[in-house]
Amino acid sequence: MTGPTTGRDRNPVGGHVPVAGGLARTGLPYARSIGAEAVQVFVANPRGWATPPGSPGQDEEFRAGCASAGLPAYVHAPYLINFGSDNGRTVELSVESLRHSLRRGRAIGARGVVVHTGSATGGRARGEALAQVHERLLPLLDELTHDDDPRLLLEPTAGQGASLCSWIEDLGPYFEALESHPKLGVCLDTCHLFAAGHDLSAPGGMKLALDELVSVVGPGRLGLIHANDSKDVVGAHKDRHENIGSGHIGAEPFAGLFAHPETAGVPLTIETPGGVEGHGTDVARLKSLRDG
C-alpha cells in the first residue's frame, strides 16, 4: 500500500545548476544549497560545438548522488543546434552535438535532453526546414534503443526570427516531421510561451496553454517545465527571464500550472537570475505555490 502523493512527487521543483569543476563536485552541492528537487545541467559548452567526453568518476558520482537524493536530472543541449539551418556545416555539427548530449545524458542517468527547436534560416520555406528536421533528427531518435536512454524534449523558442516552433500549435508540424516518435517529448519554457504571445498572465491563461498542448501533441508528452517569469510584456519575442513573481507573468499563473492534469509528475526547473540566493528564493516560492 502506498502513501499519499506529496507535492514533490507530483512536481519536483529545482533548477539549472552550474557544473564547472565537475558534475558531482559542483552541481550536487549547488542543488542542495537552493533546495532543488530536480536538476538540469550542461554536458558541453552551451555556446560551442565541442563534445567533451566527461569524467566517468564524476558521471557515476552524479548519477548515484541524484539517485540517493531522489533528484530527476535533465541535460540541456547547446544553443547552437539548429536542424532547420540552410548551412550544411551547421546541420552536421548539430547532429554531432545532439548525439553527444543524448549519449552523455544516458551516462549520467538523465531522464531527458532538452533541445531548442531551431529556425528556418536563409529565407528557406518552413516546409523545407521541417523536411530537413525529418531527415537529420529522426535518425537520432531511432538510436535511442536502450531502456535508460533519455527522451528528447523539444523546447519552443520565444519567436525570434524565423523560428520553427514558438506557438504551441507549431509543435504539431514538428511532431509530424518526427513521426511522433515514442522517445519525443516537450519542454515548455513559461517565459518563451509568454514572449511568443501566449498570455499566461490572463485569467485561465496557463490552463488554456496546457489544454492546447494536449490537443496538439496528445497527453503524456510534457516531460519538463522551465519555470521562468518574463522581463518583457506578452508577445515581445524577447527571451529575458525574470525571478518568479517579479516579471510580467506574475506568481499566480504558476499555481494554475501545478493544478493542471497534464503537469502531474512533471518536474520544474528554474533558469532565473540571482545566483544561489535568487535561485533558492525562486525554488521556495514555487514550492509554496505548489503546496499552498
Side-chain angles (χ1 to χ4, degrees):
M1 183 174 178
T2 59
T5 301
T6 66
R8 176 174 179 158
D9 292 333
R10 190 191 194 280
N11 296 108
V13 172
H16 187 101
V17 301
V19 294
L23 281 169
R25 193 177 300 117
T26 304
L28 292 178
Y30 193 96
R32 286 192 294 270
S33 70
I34 66 171
E37 301 166 340
V39 293
Q40 177 181 271
V41 297
F42 291 126
V43 292
N45 181 347
R47 293 179 173 82
W49 291 117
T51 54
S55 161
Q58 283 293 295
D59 288 356
E60 182 52 40
E61 190 177 340
F62 179 82
R63 185 180 186 125
C66 287
S68 65
L71 299 176
Y74 296 83
V75 168
H76 198 306
Y79 302 135
L80 298 180
I81 291 172
N82 183 10
F83 285 88
S85 176
D86 66 319
N87 184 309
R89 181 62 176 155
T90 295
V91 177
E92 292 296 336
L93 290 168
S94 294
V95 171
E96 294 174 15
S97 179
L98 185 55
R99 179 181 282 122
H100 170 262
S101 286
L102 288 165
R103 288 179 175 174
R104 294 285 293 117
R106 182 182 178 217
I108 67 172
R111 290 189 186 180
V113 172
V114 177
V115 66
H116 289 175
T117 44
S119 58
T121 62
R124 70 194 327 200
R126 177 183 293 261
E128 182 183 350
L130 286 173
Q132 186 170 272
V133 169
H134 171 85
E135 178 187 355
R136 304 309 303 272
L137 181 50
L138 186 58
L140 293 181
L141 286 164
D142 286 337
E143 291 176 8
L144 302 177
T145 58
H146 301 92
D147 290 342
D148 59 347
D149 275 323
R151 276 206 292 175
L152 181 65
L153 304 178
L154 301 175
E155 181 180 3
T157 58
Q160 316 96 311
S163 173
L164 285 174
C165 202
S166 54
W167 286 88
I168 289 173
E169 66 186 27
D170 297 333
L171 284 165
Y174 214 103
F175 263 65
E176 288 174 14
L178 295 173
E179 300 179 4
S180 294
H181 196 282
K183 277 290 191 177
L184 192 62
V186 175
C187 171
L188 285 185
D189 185 310
T190 53
C191 177
H192 291 183
L193 287 181
F194 191 71
H198 292 278
D199 192 356
L200 306 180
S201 65
M206 188 71 78
K207 181 181 185 303
L208 192 65
L210 291 165
D211 285 349
E212 184 178 1
L213 177 70
V214 176
S215 175
V216 171
V217 302
R221 293 287 190 169
L222 183 60
L224 182 66
I225 296 162
H226 287 167
N228 303 304
D229 212 325
S230 173
K231 289 183 183 292
D232 299 286
V233 298
V234 63
H237 304 302
K238 292 181 180 179
D239 182 14
R240 299 203 305 159
H241 300 180
E242 183 56 279
N243 298 101
I244 304 299
S246 297
H248 287 275
I249 297 175
E252 190 57 33
F254 290 94
L257 186 155
F258 288 119
H260 197 281
E262 184 62 13
T263 67
V266 178
L268 285 76
T269 55
I270 57 164
E271 302 170 320
T272 52
V276 172
E277 184 176 348
H279 293 163
T281 298
D282 281 339
V283 167
R285 186 81 182 269
L286 286 170
K287 288 179 182 177
S288 176
L289 290 164
R290 178 193 68 190
D291 301 335

